[in-house]
Amino acid sequence: MAQKPLRLLACGDVDGKFDILFNRVRAIQKKSGNFDLLLCVGNFFGSTPDAEWEEYKTGIKKAPIQTYVLGANNQETVKYFQDADGCELAENITYLGRKGIFTGSSGLQIVYLSGTESLNEPVPGYNFSPKDVSSLRTMLCTTSQFKGVDILLTSPWPKYVGNFGNSSGEVDTKKCGSALVSSLAMGLKPRYHFAALEKTYYERLPYRNHVVLQENAQHATRFIALANVGNPEKKKYLYAFSIVPMKLMDAAELVKQPPDVTENPYRKSGQEASIGKQIPAPVEESACQFFFDLNEKQGRKRSSTGRDSKSPHPKQPRKPPQPPGPCWFCLASPEVEKHLVVNIGTHCYLALAKGGLSDDHVLILPIGHYQSVVELSAEVVEEVEKYKATLRRFFKSRGKRCVVFERNYKSHHLQLQVIPVPVSCCATDDIKDAFITQAQEQQIELLEIPEHSDIKQIAQPGAAYFYVELDTGEKLFHRIKKNFPLQFGREVLASEAILNIPGKSDWRQCQISKEDEETLARRFQKDFEPYDFTLELRQENGLNPGGGGCCEPRLLHCTPA
């Protein structure tokens, strides 16, 4: 029998606004049912008068949920936390203590560290020291069975947490935060890490806790920084989540990697965080042009023209941009599922979508590391457009029109989704109407932009956006300002109005075996061959014209410069 998940709430700086917080919790519980715990990080008490707190302390008012809080971050609030080992502050409100491990009856393991960083001994009651962090790590990490903890609670952000991740807004994570907390997070491998103090909300992309291809897979970590209660900008200060204690989880389920997982932000910086050194983010070795060679002996170098170079100074091709860490979509990356690759050009390649909406749902991806269409160089844009036009002709010959969309949000490498829709299903106007209608229902402002306009004219590099392009060339665009449903494009196309396969709106529900994927890849390659404009390129380069896909190609690349 599956273990029932615990339902938890996490909160940022309360700053003494107890009524606002607990009224909000009551409203949430009334709407969504009861939660098991509320975990508060940052400043629980504020600089406001104590009248409001006295009502809770004396029992006139009562917290509607079992609440656990961290200790003081400044001299002013030390007075509220009399016992360094933790104590009950009021009914249903408990101070966890300066540092330690809280294990619930369910087996849920929460590690907590109160205060802010200080490198000087002895530390005052509102600080933690390198010794505190070291003792926590020693307490847990020295056993051979240690795999990680469920939750880590700290008030300061960990330094460097933004490395390899999505933007942290105005907070510069290379300067802000605690290197000691980075060190702690690196060692403890929490599944969730909550922090506050910066008066803003930041949910980092999940990061992995193992080195790909060198260590066994481990669970991912989600870092979430929460804003202050009742802030006028209405930034998120309360976060609801469900969790099954890791001790009760199936090992395979625990280590499943989210699709948007990144490299560990502390991999370089965290190793020396305890001595506060500023370590620059690691840089991957660069590589040059890539070709799939199905027949050549592995390891043979080939110039960008495909012919063995006689010149002592052959012209070097421009190197495609490289990712800051491992990437699932950079063609030279070991993480790429190469059996899904069905066609390769000079700057881009085609791959079957994993868990596609249909057997011929494909992705156009740049070979080098680009995050979005906006960041593509001119020659890559040209080949992307060539692939789009070719796929339109290909699908039209098969009685289908294709829809192209991109979501530049919580993704690291550009993925242009190309989904064929049978002409018999609906007209182009129906597809357009379905996108607009579903966007309105979800309060998404989807704007129609001029047919021949360039996305680069509308979105700046680094800006989050979603856009969809219809077979007529019409484009709909949404600038993502806050949150955005990750499966929105799929949900619309899978809806009854278009493909009528609502159960396929999430790719994770559509996965098939590797053998079946290889069969689909072979079939697509064969069907697409009459339209393949890259055949001439490969023949010029003396390469087998078969492309990629399920033929177990060997990836050749120039040696790093």
Side-chain angles (χ1 to χ4, degrees):
M1 183 178 171
Q3 173 69 27
K4 185 181 176 184
L6 294 165
R7 303 178 74 229
L8 307 184
L9 291 168
C11 179
D13 303 277
V14 180
D15 285 335
K17 296 176 181 175
F18 310 111
D19 288 346
I20 293 175
L21 168 62
F22 292 133
N23 286 339
R24 178 79 182 119
V25 170
R26 286 187 188 94
I28 290 171
Q29 294 201 131
K30 185 176 181 181
K31 182 180 178 182
S32 306
N34 287 341
F35 283 76
D36 297 291
L37 296 176
L38 168 63
L39 307 171
C40 296
V41 293
N43 294 313
F44 188 66
F45 294 98
S47 54
T48 52
D50 288 346
E52 199 171 301
W53 172 242
E54 282 299 317
E55 291 183 308
Y56 288 90
K57 190 176 177 182
T58 57
I60 297 171
K61 290 181 179 177
K62 177 183 170 183
I65 184 173
Q66 187 61 53
T67 304
Y68 291 93
V69 310
L70 293 183
N73 297 297
N74 51 59
Q75 182 62 56
E76 189 182 1
T77 55
V78 170
K79 62 184 180 183
Y80 296 103
F81 305 99
Q82 298 297 321
D83 188 343
D85 295 326
C87 57
E88 187 176 80
L89 302 177
E91 188 176 356
N92 268 3
I93 303 175
T94 302
Y95 164 46
L96 285 164
R98 286 193 64 178
K99 67 177 189 294
I101 306 154
F102 171 87
T103 304
S105 56
S106 61
L108 185 77
Q109 200 168 48
I110 301 172
V111 174
Y112 54 90
L113 179 65
S114 292
T116 56
E117 176 180 307
S118 172
L119 300 178
N120 301 315
E121 295 280 0
V123 295
Y126 53 89
N127 287 146
F128 57 81
S129 68
K131 281 185 181 176
D132 292 320
V133 170
S134 178
S135 68
L136 271 177
R137 289 186 62 154
T138 304
M139 214 183 297
L140 286 158
C141 305
T142 49
T143 62
S144 58
Q145 294 84 18
F146 179 75
K147 293 179 181 176
V149 299
D150 291 303
I151 298 169
L152 172 61
L153 303 178
T154 64
S155 287
W157 290 28
K159 204 169 190 175
Y160 316 113
V161 71
N163 284 357
F164 310 133
N166 46 316
S167 170
S168 52
E170 295 176 4
V171 180
D172 183 350
T173 60
K174 287 182 173 61
K175 297 177 181 175
C176 164
S178 163
L180 289 176
V181 171
S182 305
S183 167
L184 187 62
M186 179 85 171
L188 296 188
K189 303 172 188 174
R191 292 163 66 200
Y192 284 87
H193 179 182
F194 293 98
L197 296 184
E198 299 300 330
K199 310 297 184 191
T200 193
Y201 169 68
Y202 172 52
E203 182 170 1
R204 191 202 184 282
L205 290 170
Y207 64 81
R208 59 175 71 91
N209 284 298
H210 62 279
V211 179
V212 177
L213 301 179
Q214 293 181 33
E215 298 174 334
N216 291 333
Q218 297 179 46
H219 59 271
T221 293
R222 298 176 186 274
F223 171 75
I224 296 134
L226 294 161
N228 47 313
V229 169
N231 66 86
E233 299 87 5
K234 300 194 182 304
K235 294 176 182 176
K236 189 168 183 173
Y237 64 82
L238 208 53
Y239 184 93
F241 65 110
S242 297
I243 186 169
V244 173
M246 67 192 305
K247 289 180 178 178
L248 304 177
M249 286 187 71
D250 174 71
E253 187 68 27
L254 178 65
V255 302
K256 273 187 181 175
Q257 301 295 295
D260 52 355
V261 71
T262 78
E263 180 53 276
N264 190 307
Y266 320 121
R267 184 67 61 198
K268 290 292 182 186
S269 60
Q271 289 167 2
E272 300 189 49
S274 61
I275 51 175
K277 285 192 177 178
Q278 300 279 348
I279 308 294
V283 178
E284 291 287 305
E285 288 186 334
S286 59
C288 304
Q289 186 115 358
F290 315 104
F291 294 105
F292 273 109
D293 187 343
L294 307 183
N295 296 321
E296 293 288 330
K297 289 181 180 177
Q298 191 165 11
R300 184 180 176 191
K301 296 174 192 172
R302 186 178 289 279
S303 73
S304 62
T305 62
R307 301 175 180 87
D308 294 336
S309 175
K310 300 276 194 276
S311 164
H313 302 291
K315 184 180 177 183
Q316 291 296 314
R318 181 187 294 183
K319 296 173 186 177
Q322 300 303 303
C327 176
W328 291 99
F329 299 104
C330 285
L331 193 52
S333 169
E335 278 81 21
V336 170
E337 295 197 49
K338 296 189 173 70
H339 67 284
L340 294 171
V341 176
V342 292
N343 192 266
I344 303 166
T346 307
H347 306 289
C348 304
Y349 70 100
L350 280 187
L352 284 185
K354 196 167 186 69
L357 280 167
S358 60
D359 291 349
D360 44 7
H361 173 174
V362 292
L363 308 177
I364 303 172
L365 304 117
I367 288 171
H369 190 76
Y370 295 91
Q371 183 170 325
S372 69
V373 162
V374 174
E375 296 172 14
L376 294 180
S377 60
E379 63 268 24
V380 183
V381 169
E382 186 180 344
E383 192 163 282
V384 166
E385 292 303 321
K386 200 167 184 178
Y387 265 121
K388 286 198 291 191
T390 305
L391 285 166
R392 284 194 187 100
R393 290 199 306 275
F394 168 65
F395 286 126
K396 187 176 182 180
S397 73
R398 305 174 78 79
K400 300 175 182 181
R401 54 172 56 90
C402 66
V403 178
V404 179
F405 72 80
E406 177 196 3
R407 186 200 76 229
N408 182 32
Y409 172 72
K410 294 197 175 183
S411 61
H412 287 284
H413 190 114
L414 166 62
Q415 303 157 54
L416 272 181
Q417 307 272 345
V418 184
I419 299 96
V421 177
V423 172
S424 57
C425 279
C426 54
T428 301
D429 282 347
D430 297 327
I431 298 173
K432 182 177 173 182
D433 290 344
F435 269 100
I436 292 171
T437 301
Q438 290 207 34
Q440 288 171 343
E441 287 174 1
Q442 299 189 47
Q443 282 80 51
I444 295 168
E445 187 181 24
L446 205 54
L447 303 173
E448 190 167 350
I449 60 177
E451 190 175 319
H452 299 292
S453 63
D454 189 340
I455 294 294
K456 292 186 178 187
Q457 298 168 342
I458 300 166
Q460 298 297 316
Y465 64 83
F466 172 87
Y467 97 95
V468 58
E469 187 174 338
L470 307 175
D471 61 322
T472 55
E474 294 172 279
K475 297 186 183 101
L476 302 171
F477 177 87
H478 170 65
R479 193 185 308 279
I480 300 172
K481 296 172 184 172
K482 201 174 178 183
N483 296 322
F484 185 78
L486 297 183
Q487 307 292 346
F488 177 70
R490 284 185 66 115
E491 286 171 3
V492 176
L493 291 167
S495 67
E496 293 179 5
I498 303 180
L499 291 172
N500 195 21
I501 45 172
K504 287 193 167 188
S505 60
D506 188 333
W507 71 272
R508 287 166 292 198
Q509 308 301 319
C510 307
Q511 294 187 73
I512 56 176
S513 69
K514 184 177 178 180
E515 291 74 20
D516 288 341
E517 288 174 338
E518 288 173 343
T519 301
L520 293 180
R522 272 194 295 267
R523 186 191 305 164
F524 186 93
Q525 276 185 290
K526 184 180 177 184
D527 293 343
F528 187 68
E529 193 169 339
Y531 297 83
D532 184 2
F533 64 85
T534 68
L535 279 173
E536 187 179 339
L537 167 73
R538 286 200 293 277
Q539 286 164 349
E540 281 177 4
N541 286 308
L543 297 176
N544 185 309
C550 45
C551 307
E552 292 303 326
R554 294 189 296 273
L555 191 63
L556 301 187
H557 59 83
C558 314
T559 51

